[in-house]
Every structure is written in structure tokens, then in C-alpha cells.
Amino acid sequence: EKLKNVQVYSELEVALFVTPNPLSIFSKGIDDMVGNKAVVSATHYPGIESTSQKANPFLNLFADIDIVGVVKLFSIFIILMAAGSIAGEREGKTLQMIFVTNVKRVEFFLSKYLAFTVVVLCSAVTIFIIPVLMIITDHQITTGIAFIPGVVMLLFTSLMYLSVFILLSLFVSAKMATAAQSVLTTLFIWLGIVYIYPQITTTLSKSIYKSPSKIELDSRIKRIDFELKSSGGNYMLKNQPRLPSNMSF
């Protein structure tokens, strides 16, 4: 259709869109950073552009959330629910009544852990199963053979992630005197693990290896374009790859 509407081939401009990955609903990954659109034309630099920006600029202030982000927020609910369980029973004097019987401390701790794990398992399966059913029943979405194993791996990883915070919450709750102290301490630990630690590692990695920014890359592309246009074909001849001098055919 575009070939019929152009006078010369230099005016032809074709937009190619990358097929979205169904797993991006569960975890966006780097899809938003690399973009999903490529324009092929005689006057356009080849590359992948991003088309994920919303039409309303005010909505761009809010980050999109995926299922992994929901799991991260759900971990706060796990902390609020589990962090005060043992300390709360200590405050209510019911913990002493439990240990009067033959219940061991390890059995009591494991029973708490298994109870919260069952709640987390049911909630996580519900969170994952709804998008899976929507994708499978939609005939416009094409899923490959790796879709179901990918969802299972994401579900398993999410359960392990939430399990860590269940153990952490119960451990802190067993050490603290009150439920309020236990919840606040666990929330501070959660904040350090989820937000502060990734920021520190990102800053350290950028200080060790400084990768060029998009502005610097665009500046280099403009400089190459200027040199290419000003020197004609001499720039390509001067900068083309050359074989080592010791290689011959």
C-alpha cells in the first residue's frame, strides 16, 4: 500500500512493530527500555524506538505495574500479617499457655510458617491464574510453547520471594517484645532489601563501569552523520573494518 502512494523509493517509510511478549504482563523486564517500533527509510537511522508513552502526559508520572509489582506490594501485606503473630501472642500472654503443653518451639514456628505459606500460595495462584486465562482465551494473542513454563517459573520465583519475607517476619516477631516493634523492624528491613540495596548496587555498578547515556549516543550519531555528509563517501572508506596485516588470502 505504501509503495503505491510514493513517487520515489527515497520517500518510502515503513514502520515495523515488535510482537509483544505475553509474559510482559507478568514481568515487563526491559521491554519498555528497548522500545517496540523500528522505522525503515532512506532518511531514518535504524534502531528501536519506544511507543509505550501514554497519550496523556499526566499519566506518564505514574509507572506501569505488572504482576511482579503486585507481588512486591503483596509482600507488605505478608509483613503486616506475619510480623506481629508471635509477638502478639507474647503480648497477650497466650504464648505461655501454648508452651505449657508438649508443643515444641520448632513445631510452633513451623506451624506458623506453613499456615502463612498456604495463604500466600492460594493468593499467588489466584493472582497468576486470572491473566493466564485471559491470555489463553483471547484468540488474538499468540502464545508460544515457552509461555506456560515461563508463567510457572515466575510463580515459583514469586513464592520463594514471599516465603523469604514470611520467614523474616516470623524470625523478627520471635525476637521482639511487642507486635508494633516487630512490624516496624520488619518494614525497615523490607525497605532496605527492596529499594535501598538495589539503588546502592546500581550506583556502584555505574561508578565502576560508566556506559554512555542516550544523549551521548545521539550526539555520536549526529557527529557521524555530519562527517558522512561533509566528506561524501570518503568517511565510509576511511572507517570501514580492515583485516590485520598478517592475514592474507
Side-chain angles (χ1 to χ4, degrees):
E1 184 66 25
K2 287 183 176 293
L3 288 172
K4 297 178 181 179
N5 298 328
V6 297
Q7 299 296 327
V8 292
Y9 287 114
S10 60
E11 297 179 358
L12 182 63
E13 184 175 302
V14 181
L16 303 176
F17 293 90
V18 179
T19 304
N21 188 356
L23 289 176
S24 61
I25 299 176
F26 301 90
S27 179
K28 292 185 297 183
I30 61 173
D31 288 348
D32 288 349
M33 293 184 287
V34 298
N36 55 4
K37 175 186 176 184
V39 178
V40 180
S41 68
T43 59
H44 195 277
Y45 293 107
I48 301 296
E49 298 178 354
S50 176
T51 60
S52 60
Q53 190 176 12
K54 304 178 181 64
N56 189 346
F58 294 102
L59 293 178
N60 293 321
L61 299 175
F62 302 95
D64 296 329
I65 190 169
D66 51 9
I67 302 300
V68 174
V70 174
V71 172
K72 185 185 295 184
L73 295 177
F74 186 67
S75 63
I76 301 178
F77 173 74
I78 294 298
I79 291 174
L80 296 176
M81 183 174 58
S85 59
I86 299 178
E89 292 191 15
R90 184 183 291 109
E91 281 186 290
K93 305 300 182 181
T94 58
L95 196 61
Q96 297 176 356
M97 299 175 60
I98 294 175
F99 288 140
V100 167
T101 61
N102 294 326
V103 177
K104 298 180 180 179
R105 295 178 181 271
V106 177
E107 295 176 351
F108 176 75
F109 188 88
L110 290 178
S111 64
K112 290 281 187 181
Y113 172 73
L114 292 177
F116 287 118
T117 302
V118 171
V119 174
V120 168
L121 177 62
C122 296
S123 302
V125 170
T126 304
I127 292 173
F128 275 80
I129 199 66
I130 294 176
V132 170
L133 293 177
M134 294 175 62
I135 292 174
I136 293 177
T137 55
D138 193 342
H139 300 289
Q140 296 181 353
I141 301 177
T142 303
T143 58
I145 58 175
F147 175 69
I148 297 299
V151 173
V152 173
M153 287 299 297
L154 286 173
L155 176 60
F156 177 76
T157 306
S158 300
L159 291 175
M160 293 297 101
Y161 175 82
L162 295 175
S163 178
V164 170
F165 286 106
I166 292 175
L167 289 173
L168 179 63
S169 301
L170 292 176
F171 177 77
V172 175
S173 182
K175 297 296 182 180
M176 293 295 173
T178 63
Q181 293 177 357
S182 176
V183 171
L184 290 176
T185 303
T186 312
L187 285 176
F188 276 116
I189 297 174
W190 176 88
L191 185 65
I193 295 174
V194 176
Y195 287 102
I196 298 178
Y197 176 73
Q199 291 295 330
I200 293 175
T201 54
T202 302
T203 304
L204 289 176
S205 62
K206 288 182 178 180
S207 63
I208 296 173
Y209 177 77
K210 296 182 179 180
S211 58
S213 62
K214 187 178 183 303
I215 298 176
E216 294 175 348
L217 292 176
D218 292 339
S219 177
R220 293 180 185 179
I221 292 175
K222 291 180 181 179
R223 178 176 56 82
I224 294 174
D225 179 57
F226 175 77
E227 294 179 2
L228 180 62
K229 291 180 179 179
S230 60
S231 61
N234 295 327
Y235 179 84
M236 297 299 295
L237 294 174
K238 184 177 64 175
N239 293 276
Q240 65 179 352
R242 298 181 182 275
L243 293 174
S245 57
N246 57 354
M247 292 185 63
S248 61
F249 293 95

